[in-house]
Amino acid sequence: MDFIEINAASRIPKYRQVCNSIEAGIREQQLLLGDRILSINRFSETYDISRDTVEKAYNYLRAKNIIASVKGKGYYVARTNLAVRLYVLFVANKLSKYEMGVYNAFVQALGRQNAKVDIEIFHSESQVFKDILNKNKGLYDYYVIMPHFKDGELGSRGCTKEILEAMQEIPTHQLILLDQEVQNFSDSVGKIFQDYEQDIYDALTEGLEKLKKYHKMILVYPSTSPYPYPREIVLGFKMFCDHHGFEYEILDQIHDGMSLELKSLYFIIEEEDLVNLVKQARNQCYERGKDIGIISYNDSPLEELLGITVMTRDGRKMGATAAEMILAKRHYFVRNEFHTIIRQSS
């Protein structure tokens, strides 16, 4: 393969030189679709570079679907259209409406840039997350991560030392962290975070005059959910109630047949609890926004249909901002927007 150029004095990593050479061979039609390329061992011997370097290059090209391998046949050219210029791995903790809204906004914002965005879900499990990063190490131009995890009690938490170390193996210029602020991490990575505690406190304070008609505030926080919510939500809620003298209570769920408390405002996190609460209010002939108040966390078509006041993260803004960082090749640290939408339920 005469088109292979490896310069030991170059600042470009050797594995990228291998990739660049093979891609150049394809563009110049010296390699055609289905053509075989050297095995890892043969390439290493021919060009006097380590086997690990060649393997890393081949893994990178395989992730881009430029080459493929078949047992007994070896490596061959699998794609000659090299129009895709940007490869991104989007790593989310779960497939909720909010996470998918962030992802879709991100993909849409990159759409005209010949970008390919793959998504991996780690279900808030630390080991699954580390496995995803390990198998995809060095294969993408950017890694966009929503780092929400859970502990043995299924509670939300920040990053452990092991998780932090796994993310620190990604070059800082390739990493963007979304939603959850990660402490003790390089300021040179991109960060678009929610300040959950302050967001909740500020949003409730904004609606203070409307809330004064209620005698009690009740937060329904699903502490045993398989996909835990940040505990800072609870802290912001408590801080507001303590500061403004509201009696408050924290429940795990709204269950069937539950007797609702008159002149109380219910702050709901999960959609199932919202549906149960609306049913209980109807069964007990309570008027929403008068006899009881309802505020839901994160907007969706259901809240809009039912006329429920919401305090909501702007997922589309978060996804678009992450894309802007990549397109501008400039990382920065920004707090994501948080909105209150007033409807008749409060």
Side-chain angles (χ1 to χ4, degrees):
M1 297 194 292
D2 296 336
F3 49 84
I4 300 295
E5 294 184 6
I6 307 296
N7 182 358
S10 173
R11 297 179 62 183
I12 300 174
K14 287 184 180 178
Y15 89 93
R16 290 308 296 259
Q17 293 186 51
V18 173
C19 296
N20 293 343
S21 294
I22 291 176
E23 290 177 351
I26 293 172
R27 282 192 293 269
E28 295 165 7
Q29 296 188 328
Q30 292 178 279
L31 282 175
L32 303 177
L33 188 66
D35 281 357
R36 291 185 62 181
I37 60 177
L38 297 178
S39 69
I40 292 175
N41 288 335
R42 183 72 181 278
F43 198 112
S44 173
E45 294 168 1
T46 302
Y47 297 99
D48 193 26
I49 56 177
S50 74
R51 189 184 186 283
D52 289 345
T53 297
V54 181
E55 185 174 18
K56 185 176 183 180
Y58 279 20
N59 285 340
Y60 180 87
L61 293 170
R62 287 177 66 185
K64 295 171 71 174
N65 296 317
I66 293 174
I67 67 172
S69 62
V70 174
K71 190 174 182 180
K73 181 179 179 181
Y75 291 90
Y76 63 94
V77 177
R79 181 168 66 86
T80 55
N81 178 7
L82 304 184
V84 175
R85 294 181 296 180
L86 187 67
Y87 286 81
V88 182
L89 181 64
F90 192 100
V91 185
N93 59 306
K94 60 181 177 179
L95 276 175
S96 73
K97 293 177 183 176
Y98 175 75
E99 274 75 13
M100 291 311 299
V102 175
Y103 171 78
N104 289 333
F106 175 75
V107 172
Q108 184 177 2
L110 288 178
R112 292 176 294 177
Q113 303 300 317
N114 293 325
K116 182 178 186 297
V117 183
D118 295 326
I119 185 169
E120 293 264 15
I121 310 299
F122 63 94
H123 305 288
S124 297
E125 296 285 355
S126 301
Q127 188 57 54
V128 176
F129 176 78
K130 288 186 288 185
D131 290 344
I132 288 172
L133 292 194
N134 186 56
K135 75 176 182 179
N136 291 291
K137 189 184 304 181
L139 302 184
Y140 290 86
D141 299 304
Y142 288 93
Y143 297 79
V144 180
I145 298 174
M146 304 184 77
H148 290 279
F149 302 93
K150 60 189 177 187
D151 59 23
E153 262 98 53
L154 300 181
S156 172
R157 66 175 182 179
C159 295
T160 64
K161 179 182 177 181
E162 291 76 16
I163 293 170
L164 195 61
E165 289 174 349
M167 289 195 292
Q168 286 172 336
E169 292 188 20
I170 300 172
T172 55
H173 69 279
Q174 295 182 317
L175 180 59
I176 298 176
L177 302 176
L178 302 185
D179 205 46
Q180 178 79 11
E181 184 176 0
V182 178
Q183 301 292 338
N184 303 317
F185 207 92
S186 171
D187 289 336
S188 59
V189 306
K191 295 180 183 179
I192 309 165
F193 73 100
Q194 293 293 158
D195 187 340
Y196 289 97
E197 182 175 349
Q198 196 64 46
D199 284 344
I200 296 300
Y201 179 84
D202 290 345
L204 290 172
T205 301
E206 182 183 341
L208 179 60
E209 290 304 313
K210 287 180 66 70
L211 300 180
K212 285 181 177 178
K213 63 185 174 182
Y214 299 107
H215 304 317
K216 186 176 181 180
M217 305 279 287
I218 300 174
L219 171 64
V220 185
Y221 178 82
S223 59
T224 59
S225 170
Y227 296 103
Y229 293 87
R231 295 197 188 279
E232 290 83 358
I233 293 174
V234 178
L235 298 178
F237 173 80
K238 287 182 176 180
M239 182 168 64
F240 169 81
C241 293
D242 289 337
H243 191 180
H244 296 285
F246 280 95
E247 179 186 355
Y248 68 85
E249 183 178 1
I250 299 175
L251 305 177
D252 283 329
Q253 63 176 333
I254 299 293
H255 55 78
D256 293 340
M258 179 177 175
S259 180
L260 303 182
E261 297 187 38
L262 189 63
K263 290 297 179 181
S264 292
L265 181 132
Y266 290 81
F267 184 9
I268 305 296
I269 305 294
E270 288 203 332
E271 196 169 273
E272 183 178 352
D273 288 317
L274 174 61
V275 172
N276 286 339
L277 179 62
V278 170
K279 287 181 180 178
Q280 301 302 325
R282 182 186 61 198
N283 293 341
Q284 296 171 43
C285 299
Y286 283 166
E287 183 179 344
R288 302 198 303 266
K290 182 178 178 182
D291 299 319
I292 65 166
I294 303 176
I295 296 177
S296 185
Y297 184 71
N298 282 343
D299 197 23
S300 79
L302 177 64
E303 278 82 358
E304 184 177 5
L305 178 65
L306 295 176
I308 304 296
T309 293
V310 294
M311 296 176 182
T312 185
R313 298 170 286 177
D314 192 336
R316 293 198 60 81
K317 178 68 174 178
M318 180 175 289
T321 302
E324 289 169 8
M325 287 188 184
I326 291 175
L327 297 178
K329 295 183 179 179
R330 185 172 66 89
H331 287 178
Y332 46 89
F333 185 47
V334 61
R335 178 179 171 185
N336 193 49
E337 296 179 9
F338 192 79
H339 304 297
T340 301
I341 303 174
I342 303 296
R343 299 187 179 115
Q344 61 265 35
S345 71
S346 59

Coordinates of all heavy atoms in Angstrom, one line a residue, residues 166-241:
A166 N -12.7 7.4 34.6 CA -13.1 6.9 33.3 C -13.4 8.0 32.3 O -12.9 8.0 31.2 CB -14.4 6.0 33.4
M167 N -14.0 9.1 32.8 CA -14.3 10.2 31.9 C -13.0 11.0 31.6 O -12.9 11.6 30.6 CB -15.4 11.1 32.5 CG -16.8 10.5 32.5 SD -18.1 11.7 32.8 CE -17.8 12.1 34.5
Q168 N -12.1 11.0 32.6 CA -10.9 11.8 32.4 C -10.0 11.2 31.4 O -9.0 11.8 30.9 CB -10.1 11.9 33.7 CG -10.8 12.9 34.7 CD -10.2 12.9 36.1 OE1 -9.6 11.9 36.5 NE2 -10.4 14.0 36.8
E169 N -10.2 9.9 30.9 CA -9.5 9.3 29.9 C -9.8 9.9 28.5 O -9.1 9.7 27.5 CB -9.6 7.8 29.9 CG -9.0 7.1 31.1 CD -9.0 5.6 31.0 OE1 -9.2 5.1 29.9 OE2 -8.9 5.0 32.1
I170 N -11.0 10.6 28.4 CA -11.4 11.2 27.2 C -10.7 12.6 27.1 O -10.7 13.4 28.1 CB -12.9 11.5 27.2 CG1 -13.6 10.1 27.3 CG2 -13.3 12.2 25.9 CD1 -15.1 10.3 27.5
P171 N -10.0 12.9 26.0 CA -9.4 14.2 25.9 C -10.4 15.3 26.2 O -11.5 15.3 25.7 CB -8.9 14.3 24.4 CG -8.7 12.8 24.1 CD -9.8 12.1 24.8
T172 N -10.0 16.4 26.9 CA -10.9 17.4 27.4 C -11.6 18.1 26.2 O -12.8 18.5 26.3 CB -10.2 18.4 28.3 OG1 -9.1 18.9 27.6 CG2 -9.8 17.8 29.6
H173 N -10.9 18.3 25.1 CA -11.5 19.0 24.0 C -12.5 18.2 23.2 O -13.2 18.7 22.3 CB -10.4 19.4 23.0 CG -9.7 18.3 22.2 ND1 -8.7 17.5 22.8 CD2 -9.9 17.8 21.0 CE1 -8.3 16.6 21.9 NE2 -9.1 16.8 20.8
Q174 N -12.7 16.9 23.6 CA -13.6 16.0 23.0 C -14.8 15.8 23.9 O -15.8 15.0 23.5 CB -13.0 14.7 22.6 CG -11.9 14.7 21.5 CD -11.4 13.4 21.2 OE1 -11.1 12.5 22.1 NE2 -11.2 13.1 19.9
L175 N -14.9 16.3 25.1 CA -15.9 16.0 26.1 C -16.8 17.1 26.4 O -16.4 18.2 26.6 CB -15.2 15.5 27.3 CG -16.1 15.1 28.5 CD1 -17.0 13.9 28.1 CD2 -15.2 14.7 29.7
I176 N -18.1 16.8 26.4 CA -19.2 17.8 26.8 C -20.1 17.1 27.8 O -20.6 16.0 27.5 CB -20.0 18.3 25.6 CG1 -19.0 19.1 24.6 CG2 -21.1 19.2 26.1 CD1 -19.7 19.5 23.4
L177 N -20.2 17.7 29.0 CA -21.1 17.1 30.0 C -22.4 17.9 30.1 O -22.4 19.1 30.1 CB -20.4 17.2 31.4 CG -19.0 16.5 31.4 CD1 -18.4 16.7 32.8 CD2 -19.2 15.0 31.2
L178 N -23.5 17.2 30.1 CA -24.8 17.8 30.1 C -25.6 17.5 31.4 O -25.5 16.4 32.0 CB -25.7 17.3 29.0 CG -25.1 17.4 27.5 CD1 -26.2 16.9 26.5 CD2 -24.7 18.9 27.3
D179 N -26.4 18.5 31.8 CA -27.4 18.3 32.8 C -26.9 18.3 34.3 O -27.3 19.2 35.1 CB -28.3 17.1 32.5 CG -29.7 17.3 33.1 OD1 -30.3 18.3 32.9 OD2 -30.2 16.3 33.8
Q180 N -26.1 17.3 34.6 CA -25.6 17.1 36.0 C -24.3 17.8 36.1 O -23.3 17.4 35.3 CB -25.6 15.7 36.3 CG -25.0 15.4 37.7 CD -26.0 15.6 38.8 OE1 -27.2 15.8 38.6 NE2 -25.5 15.6 40.1
E181 N -24.1 18.7 37.0 CA -22.8 19.3 37.2 C -21.8 18.3 37.8 O -22.2 17.7 38.8 CB -22.9 20.6 38.1 CG -21.6 21.3 38.2 CD -21.7 22.6 39.0 OE1 -22.8 22.9 39.4 OE2 -20.6 23.3 39.1
V182 N -20.7 18.2 37.3 CA -19.6 17.3 37.8 C -18.6 18.1 38.5 O -17.9 18.9 37.9 CB -19.0 16.4 36.7 CG1 -18.0 15.5 37.3 CG2 -20.1 15.6 36.0
Q183 N -18.4 17.9 39.8 CA -17.4 18.6 40.6 C -16.0 18.0 40.3 O -15.9 16.9 39.9 CB -17.7 18.5 42.1 CG -19.1 19.1 42.4 CD -19.2 20.6 42.2 OE1 -18.2 21.3 42.2 NE2 -20.4 21.1 42.1
N184 N -15.0 18.8 40.6 CA -13.6 18.4 40.6 C -13.2 17.8 39.2 O -12.6 16.8 39.0 CB -13.3 17.3 41.6 CG -13.6 17.7 43.0 OD1 -13.3 18.9 43.4 ND2 -14.3 16.9 43.8
F185 N -13.7 18.5 38.1 CA -13.4 18.1 36.8 C -12.8 19.3 36.0 O -13.1 20.5 36.3 CB -14.7 17.6 36.1 CG -14.4 16.6 35.0 CD1 -14.4 15.3 35.2 CD2 -14.1 17.1 33.7 CE1 -14.1 14.4 34.2 CE2 -13.9 16.2 32.7 CZ -13.9 14.8 32.9
S186 N -12.0 19.0 35.0 CA -11.3 20.1 34.3 C -12.3 21.1 33.8 O -13.4 20.8 33.2 CB -10.5 19.5 33.1 OG -10.1 20.5 32.3
D187 N -12.0 22.4 33.9 CA -12.8 23.5 33.4 C -12.7 23.6 31.8 O -13.4 24.4 31.2 CB -12.4 24.8 34.0 CG -12.8 24.9 35.5 OD1 -13.8 24.2 35.8 OD2 -12.2 25.6 36.2
S188 N -11.8 22.8 31.2 CA -11.6 22.9 29.8 C -12.6 22.1 29.0 O -12.7 22.1 27.8 CB -10.2 22.6 29.4 OG -9.9 21.3 29.8
V189 N -13.4 21.2 29.7 CA -14.4 20.5 29.0 C -15.7 21.3 28.9 O -15.8 22.3 29.6 CB -14.8 19.2 29.8 CG1 -13.6 18.3 30.1 CG2 -15.5 19.5 31.1
G190 N -16.6 21.0 28.0 CA -17.8 21.7 27.9 C -18.8 21.2 29.0 O -18.9 20.0 29.2
K191 N -19.5 22.2 29.6 CA -20.4 21.9 30.7 C -21.7 22.7 30.5 O -21.6 23.9 30.5 CB -19.8 22.1 32.0 CG -18.6 21.3 32.4 CD -18.2 21.6 33.8 CE -16.9 20.9 34.2 NZ -16.4 21.2 35.6
I192 N -22.8 22.0 30.3 CA -24.1 22.7 30.3 C -24.9 22.0 31.4 O -25.4 20.9 31.3 CB -24.8 22.5 28.9 CG1 -23.8 22.9 27.8 CG2 -26.1 23.3 28.8 CD1 -24.3 22.4 26.4
F193 N -25.1 22.7 32.5 CA -25.6 22.1 33.7 C -26.9 22.7 34.2 O -27.2 23.9 33.9 CB -24.6 22.1 34.8 CG -24.4 23.5 35.4 CD1 -25.0 23.8 36.6 CD2 -23.6 24.4 34.8 CE1 -24.8 25.1 37.2 CE2 -23.4 25.7 35.3 CZ -24.0 26.0 36.5
Q194 N -27.6 21.9 35.0 CA -28.8 22.5 35.7 C -28.4 22.6 37.2 O -27.8 21.7 37.8 CB -30.0 21.5 35.7 CG -30.6 21.3 34.4 CD -31.3 22.5 33.8 OE1 -31.5 22.6 32.6 NE2 -31.7 23.4 34.7
D195 N -28.7 23.8 37.8 CA -28.5 24.0 39.2 C -29.8 23.6 39.9 O -30.6 24.5 40.1 CB -28.1 25.4 39.5 CG -27.7 25.7 40.9 OD1 -28.1 24.9 41.8 OD2 -27.0 26.7 41.2
Y196 N -30.0 22.3 40.1 CA -31.3 21.8 40.5 C -31.8 22.5 41.8 O -33.0 22.9 41.9 CB -31.3 20.3 40.7 CG -31.1 19.5 39.5 CD1 -29.9 19.1 39.0 CD2 -32.3 19.2 38.7 CE1 -29.8 18.4 37.9 CE2 -32.1 18.5 37.5 CZ -30.9 18.1 37.1 OH -30.8 17.4 36.0
E197 N -31.0 22.7 42.8 CA -31.4 23.3 44.0 C -31.9 24.7 43.8 O -33.0 25.1 44.3 CB -30.3 23.2 45.1 CG -30.7 23.8 46.4 CD -29.6 23.6 47.5 OE1 -28.6 22.8 47.2 OE2 -29.7 24.1 48.5
Q198 N -31.0 25.5 43.2 CA -31.4 26.9 42.9 C -32.5 27.1 42.0 O -33.4 28.0 42.1 CB -30.1 27.7 42.4 CG -30.2 29.2 42.6 CD -30.3 29.6 44.0 OE1 -29.6 29.2 44.9 NE2 -31.3 30.5 44.3
D199 N -32.6 26.2 40.9 CA -33.7 26.3 40.0 C -35.0 26.1 40.7 O -36.0 26.9 40.4 CB -33.6 25.1 38.9 CG -32.5 25.4 37.9 OD1 -32.1 26.6 37.8 OD2 -32.1 24.5 37.2
I200 N -35.2 25.1 41.5 CA -36.4 24.9 42.2 C -36.7 26.0 43.2 O -37.9 26.5 43.2 CB -36.4 23.6 43.0 CG1 -36.2 22.4 42.1 CG2 -37.6 23.4 43.9 CD1 -37.3 22.2 41.1
Y201 N -35.8 26.5 43.9 CA -36.0 27.6 44.9 C -36.4 28.8 44.1 O -37.4 29.5 44.5 CB -34.7 27.9 45.7 CG -34.8 29.0 46.6 CD1 -35.4 28.8 47.9 CD2 -34.4 30.3 46.2 CE1 -35.5 29.9 48.8 CE2 -34.6 31.4 47.1 CZ -35.1 31.2 48.4 OH -35.3 32.2 49.2
D202 N -35.7 29.2 43.1 CA -36.1 30.4 42.3 C -37.4 30.3 41.7 O -38.2 31.3 41.7 CB -35.0 30.6 41.2 CG -33.7 31.0 41.8 OD1 -33.6 31.4 42.9 OD2 -32.7 31.0 41.0
A203 N -37.8 29.1 41.1 CA -39.1 29.0 40.5 C -40.2 29.1 41.5 O -41.3 29.7 41.2 CB -39.1 27.7 39.7
L204 N -40.1 28.5 42.6 CA -41.1 28.6 43.6 C -41.2 30.0 44.2 O -42.3 30.5 44.4 CB -40.8 27.6 44.8 CG -41.0 26.1 44.4 CD1 -40.5 25.2 45.6 CD2 -42.5 25.8 44.1
T205 N -40.1 30.6 44.4 CA -40.1 32.0 44.9 C -40.8 32.9 43.9 O -41.5 33.9 44.3 CB -38.7 32.5 45.1 OG1 -38.0 31.6 46.1 CG2 -38.6 33.9 45.7
E206 N -40.6 32.7 42.6 CA -41.2 33.5 41.6 C -42.7 33.4 41.7 O -43.5 34.4 41.4 CB -40.8 33.0 40.2 CG -41.3 33.8 39.0 CD -40.9 33.2 37.7 OE1 -39.9 32.5 37.6 OE2 -41.5 33.5 36.7
G207 N -43.3 32.3 42.1 CA -44.7 32.1 42.2 C -45.3 32.3 43.6 O -46.4 31.8 43.9
L208 N -44.5 32.9 44.5 CA -44.8 33.0 45.9 C -46.2 33.5 46.2 O -46.9 33.0 47.0 CB -43.7 33.8 46.6 CG -43.9 34.0 48.2 CD1 -43.9 32.6 48.9 CD2 -42.8 34.9 48.7
E209 N -46.6 34.6 45.5 CA -47.9 35.2 45.8 C -49.0 34.3 45.5 O -50.0 34.2 46.3 CB -48.0 36.5 45.0 CG -47.1 37.6 45.4 CD -47.3 38.0 46.9 OE1 -48.4 38.1 47.4 OE2 -46.2 38.1 47.6
K210 N -48.9 33.5 44.4 CA -50.0 32.5 44.1 C -50.0 31.4 45.1 O -51.0 30.8 45.4 CB -49.8 32.0 42.7 CG -50.1 33.0 41.6 CD -50.0 32.3 40.2 CE -50.9 31.2 40.0 NZ -52.3 31.7 39.8
L211 N -48.8 31.0 45.7 CA -48.7 29.9 46.5 C -49.2 30.2 48.0 O -49.4 29.3 48.7 CB -47.2 29.4 46.6 CG -46.6 29.0 45.3 CD1 -45.2 28.5 45.5 CD2 -47.5 27.8 44.6
K212 N -49.3 31.5 48.3 CA -49.7 31.8 49.7 C -51.1 31.4 50.1 O -51.4 31.3 51.2 CB -49.5 33.4 49.9 CG -48.1 33.8 50.0 CD -48.0 35.3 50.2 CE -46.6 35.8 50.4 NZ -46.5 37.3 50.6
K213 N -51.9 31.1 49.1 CA -53.3 30.6 49.4 C -53.3 29.2 49.9 O -54.3 28.7 50.4 CB -54.2 30.7 48.2 CG -53.7 29.9 47.0 CD -54.6 30.2 45.8 CE -54.2 29.4 44.5 NZ -55.0 29.7 43.3
Y214 N -52.1 28.5 49.8 CA -52.0 27.1 50.3 C -51.4 27.0 51.7 O -50.5 27.8 51.9 CB -51.3 26.2 49.3 CG -51.9 26.2 47.9 CD1 -51.4 26.9 46.8 CD2 -53.1 25.5 47.7 CE1 -52.0 26.8 45.6 CE2 -53.7 25.5 46.5 CZ -53.1 26.1 45.4 OH -53.8 26.1 44.2
H215 N -51.9 26.2 52.5 CA -51.4 26.1 53.9 C -50.2 25.1 54.0 O -49.5 25.2 55.0 CB -52.5 25.5 54.8 CG -53.8 26.4 54.8 ND1 -53.7 27.7 54.8 CD2 -55.1 26.0 54.8 CE1 -55.0 28.2 54.8 NE2 -55.8 27.2 54.8
K216 N -50.0 24.2 53.0 CA -49.0 23.2 53.1 C -48.5 22.9 51.7 O -49.2 22.9 50.7 CB -49.6 21.9 53.7 CG -48.6 20.8 54.0 CD -49.2 19.7 54.7 CE -48.3 18.6 55.0 NZ -48.9 17.4 55.8
M217 N -47.2 22.6 51.6 CA -46.5 22.2 50.4 C -46.1 20.7 50.5 O -45.5 20.3 51.5 CB -45.2 23.0 50.2 CG -45.5 24.5 50.2 SD -46.1 25.1 48.6 CE -44.6 25.0 47.6
I218 N -46.5 19.9 49.5 CA -46.2 18.5 49.5 C -45.4 18.1 48.3 O -45.9 18.3 47.1 CB -47.5 17.6 49.6 CG1 -48.3 18.0 50.9 CG2 -47.2 16.1 49.5 CD1 -49.6 17.3 50.9
L219 N -44.2 17.7 48.5 CA -43.3 17.2 47.4 C -43.5 15.7 47.3 O -43.2 15.0 48.2 CB -41.9 17.6 47.6 CG -40.8 17.0 46.7 CD1 -41.1 17.5 45.2 CD2 -39.4 17.3 47.1
V220 N -43.8 15.2 46.1 CA -43.9 13.8 45.8 C -42.6 13.4 45.1 O -42.5 13.5 43.8 CB -45.2 13.4 45.0 CG1 -45.3 11.9 44.9 CG2 -46.4 13.9 45.7
Y221 N -41.6 12.9 45.8 CA -40.3 12.6 45.3 C -40.1 11.1 45.3 O -40.0 10.5 46.4 CB -39.2 13.3 46.1 CG -37.8 13.0 45.7 CD1 -37.2 13.7 44.7 CD2 -37.1 12.1 46.4 CE1 -35.9 13.5 44.3 CE2 -35.8 11.8 46.0 CZ -35.2 12.5 44.9 OH -33.9 12.2 44.5
P222 N -40.0 10.5 44.1 CA -39.9 9.0 44.0 C -38.5 8.5 44.4 O -37.7 8.2 43.5 CB -40.2 8.7 42.6 CG -39.8 10.0 41.9 CD -40.0 11.1 42.8
S223 N -38.2 8.4 45.7 CA -36.8 8.1 46.1 C -36.4 6.7 45.8 O -35.2 6.4 45.8 CB -36.8 8.3 47.7 OG -37.7 7.4 48.3
T224 N -37.3 5.8 45.4 CA -36.9 4.4 45.1 C -37.1 4.2 43.6 O -37.1 3.0 43.1 CB -37.8 3.4 45.9 OG1 -39.2 3.6 45.6 CG2 -37.5 3.5 47.4
S225 N -37.2 5.2 42.8 CA -37.3 5.0 41.3 C -36.0 4.4 40.8 O -34.9 4.7 41.2 CB -37.5 6.4 40.7 OG -37.4 6.3 39.3
P226 N -36.2 3.5 39.8 CA -35.0 2.9 39.2 C -34.1 3.9 38.5 O -32.9 3.7 38.3 CB -35.6 1.9 38.1 CG -37.0 1.6 38.6 CD -37.4 2.9 39.3
Y227 N -34.7 5.0 38.1 CA -33.9 6.1 37.5 C -34.1 7.3 38.5 O -35.0 8.1 38.3 CB -34.5 6.5 36.1 CG -34.3 5.3 35.1 CD1 -35.3 4.5 34.8 CD2 -33.0 5.1 34.6 CE1 -35.2 3.5 33.9 CE2 -32.8 4.0 33.7 CZ -33.9 3.3 33.3 OH -33.7 2.2 32.5
P228 N -33.2 7.5 39.4 CA -33.4 8.5 40.5 C -33.2 9.9 40.0 O -32.5 10.2 39.0 CB -32.2 8.1 41.4 CG -31.2 7.4 40.6 CD -32.0 6.7 39.6
Y229 N -33.9 10.8 40.6 CA -33.9 12.2 40.3 C -32.9 12.9 41.3 O -32.7 12.4 42.4 CB -35.2 12.8 40.5 CG -36.2 12.4 39.5 CD1 -37.0 11.2 39.7 CD2 -36.4 13.0 38.3 CE1 -37.9 10.7 38.7 CE2 -37.3 12.6 37.3 CZ -38.0 11.4 37.5 OH -38.9 11.0 36.6
P230 N -32.2 13.9 40.9 CA -31.3 14.6 41.7 C -31.9 15.0 43.1 O -32.9 15.6 43.2 CB -30.9 15.8 40.9 CG -31.1 15.5 39.5 CD -32.3 14.6 39.5
R231 N -31.1 14.7 44.2 CA -31.6 15.1 45.5 C -31.6 16.6 45.7 O -32.3 17.1 46.7 CB -30.7 14.4 46.6 CG -30.8 12.9 46.5 CD -30.3 12.3 47.8 NE -30.2 10.8 47.7 CZ -31.2 10.0 47.9 NH1 -32.4 10.5 48.1 NH2 -31.0 8.7 47.8
E232 N -30.9 17.3 44.9 CA -31.0 18.8 45.0 C -32.4 19.3 44.8 O -32.7 20.4 45.3 CB -30.0 19.4 44.0 CG -28.5 19.2 44.2 CD -28.0 17.8 43.7 OE1 -28.8 17.0 43.2 OE2 -26.8 17.6 43.9
I233 N -33.2 18.6 44.1 CA -34.6 19.0 44.0 C -35.3 19.1 45.4 O -36.0 20.1 45.7 CB -35.4 18.0 43.1 CG1 -34.9 18.1 41.7 CG2 -36.9 18.3 43.1 CD1 -35.6 17.1 40.7
V234 N -35.0 18.1 46.2 CA -35.5 18.1 47.6 C -34.9 19.3 48.4 O -35.7 19.9 49.1 CB -35.2 16.8 48.3 CG1 -35.7 16.8 49.7 CG2 -35.9 15.6 47.5
L235 N -33.6 19.5 48.2 CA -33.0 20.5 49.0 C -33.5 21.9 48.6 O -33.8 22.8 49.5 CB -31.5 20.5 48.7 CG -30.7 19.2 49.2 CD1 -29.3 19.3 48.8 CD2 -30.9 19.0 50.7
G236 N -33.8 22.2 47.3 CA -34.4 23.4 46.9 C -35.8 23.6 47.4 O -36.1 24.7 47.8
F237 N -36.5 22.5 47.4 CA -37.9 22.6 47.9 C -37.9 22.9 49.4 O -38.6 23.8 49.9 CB -38.6 21.2 47.7 CG -39.9 21.1 48.3 CD1 -41.1 21.6 47.7 CD2 -40.1 20.3 49.5 CE1 -42.3 21.5 48.3 CE2 -41.3 20.2 50.0 CZ -42.5 20.7 49.5
K238 N -37.1 22.2 50.2 CA -37.0 22.5 51.6 C -36.5 23.9 51.9 O -37.0 24.6 52.8 CB -36.0 21.5 52.3 CG -36.6 20.0 52.4 CD -35.6 19.2 53.1 CE -36.1 17.8 53.3 NZ -35.1 16.9 54.0
M239 N -35.5 24.4 51.2 CA -35.0 25.7 51.4 C -36.1 26.7 51.2 O -36.2 27.7 51.9 CB -33.8 25.9 50.4 CG -33.2 27.3 50.6 SD -31.6 27.5 49.7 CE -32.1 27.3 48.0
F240 N -36.9 26.6 50.1 CA -38.0 27.5 49.9 C -39.0 27.5 51.0 O -39.4 28.5 51.5 CB -38.7 27.1 48.6 CG -40.0 27.9 48.4 CD1 -40.0 29.2 47.9 CD2 -41.2 27.3 48.7 CE1 -41.2 29.9 47.7 CE2 -42.4 28.0 48.5 CZ -42.4 29.3 48.0
C241 N -39.4 26.3 51.4 CA -40.4 26.2 52.5 C -39.9 26.8 53.8 O -40.7 27.5 54.5 CB -40.9 24.7 52.7 SG -41.8 24.0 51.3

